[in-house]
Every structure is written in C-alpha cells, then in structure tokens.
Amino acid sequence: MAIAIHGVTAENADLLAKVADDVFDEEITPDRLGPFLAAAGHVMFVAVEAEQVVGQIRGMVHVQTDRASDLYIDNLGVAPSHKRRGIGRQLIAALVGWGEARGCTYAWLATETDNDEAIGFYETLKFERNRLEWFACAIGEEVED
C-alpha cells in the first residue's frame, strides 16, 4: 500500500485515531494535542497507510535573535513493522521543507548516544554528528544546594 504524508491540523486531527504501536513514545491526549497544534511555529507530520498512522515527526522553529531561525526536529517515530521502507526519510523531507519555507537555514536534533539505529539513520541523511553535554531538570521540583 502507498504511504501518504499529512501535516496534522486541528481540522484533520482525527488522523490520529488509529496509530500503530511504537509510533509515539506515549499516548496522545487531547489536552496536549490541541495546544501543540495551536502553537505557532510547531508542526507534526504523519505517515498514513490504510487509514493507520505508521510514522510521525514533530518539529518547531527555534527563533533566534542573532541569526536565522533553526528547525528543531523534536521527535521521529516509525512503527517497527514499517521501518526500512523510506518513511523516516519522507517525514524528514516534509519537516525540513516546512522549516525552510519558514526561513530556517539549519536543522538539528538530539538522540541518545547508545541509539545506534537512529545515529546510523541520521548519518545516512548527512546530518553532521556533534558531541555536546546535555542538561535537563524537572520543573517544579526543589533543587538542592
């Protein structure tokens, strides 16, 4: 069957009613989906086969004050049953095209250092591998001195 790539909007969010396993990290909830779709500079594309979402990618324009905006690739997921069929490449192309149309001149993403599958995939797309330190904290928790 043919794969169709769709940009998700409030009007067609029902595309997400049927999603293959392991496409998203967690369950989609309306209280999170609505604000995401309404947020300026945010986008989600899905790959659909036979009325089922088999892949997804999310991204956002990272607006800069001192240079052109970046495209941040937030998340990419393809159902294990549909990997190695070019779906990830199609989703990346759709997102990068969307970012370019919004003035982005650079795309970036992060993945775990032990995610060999993702690292290999991004390297085939000619993404440059950079090492950096990444810091994170849970908001709302007390920070100890």
Side-chain angles (χ1 to χ4, degrees), residues 1-142:
M1 291 218 150
I3 299 293
I5 306 297
H6 300 278
V8 179
T9 65
E11 292 75 31
N12 70 0
D14 60 330
L15 286 168
L16 299 169
K18 187 177 176 188
V19 178
D21 291 339
D22 298 321
V23 170
F24 290 91
D25 295 332
E26 296 186 28
E27 184 177 339
I28 300 167
T29 61
D31 62 315
R32 292 183 178 145
L33 178 62
F36 178 89
L37 296 177
H42 287 65
V43 71
M44 178 191 310
F45 289 95
V46 293
V48 178
E49 180 184 60
E51 298 182 15
Q52 181 179 43
V53 172
V54 296
Q56 63 84 25
I57 194 167
R58 296 187 304 269
M60 64 193 71
V61 174
H62 186 207
V63 178
Q64 304 290 337
T65 59
D66 59 345
R67 58 188 169 87
S69 297
D70 297 340
L71 172 63
Y72 174 61
I73 300 171
D74 183 42
N75 193 278
L76 170 65
V78 175
S81 59
H82 286 71
K83 289 187 177 184
R84 305 211 181 282
R85 290 179 45 188
I87 295 169
R89 287 177 183 272
Q90 290 178 57
L91 290 166
I92 289 277
L95 183 59
V96 168
W98 176 89
E100 188 174 24
R102 282 150 186 81
C104 296
T105 59
Y106 186 80
W108 64 282
L109 58 93
T111 192
E112 293 80 8
T113 58
D114 63 350
N115 188 343
D116 295 333
E117 181 181 33
I119 291 167
F121 173 69
Y122 295 122
E123 286 177 340
T124 67
L125 295 175
K126 306 300 183 215
F127 276 70
E128 180 181 320
R129 189 172 183 182
N130 296 301
R131 302 268 182 197
L132 58 95
E133 295 296 326
W134 183 68
F135 297 87
C137 73
I139 297 175
E141 294 182 9
E142 288 188 37

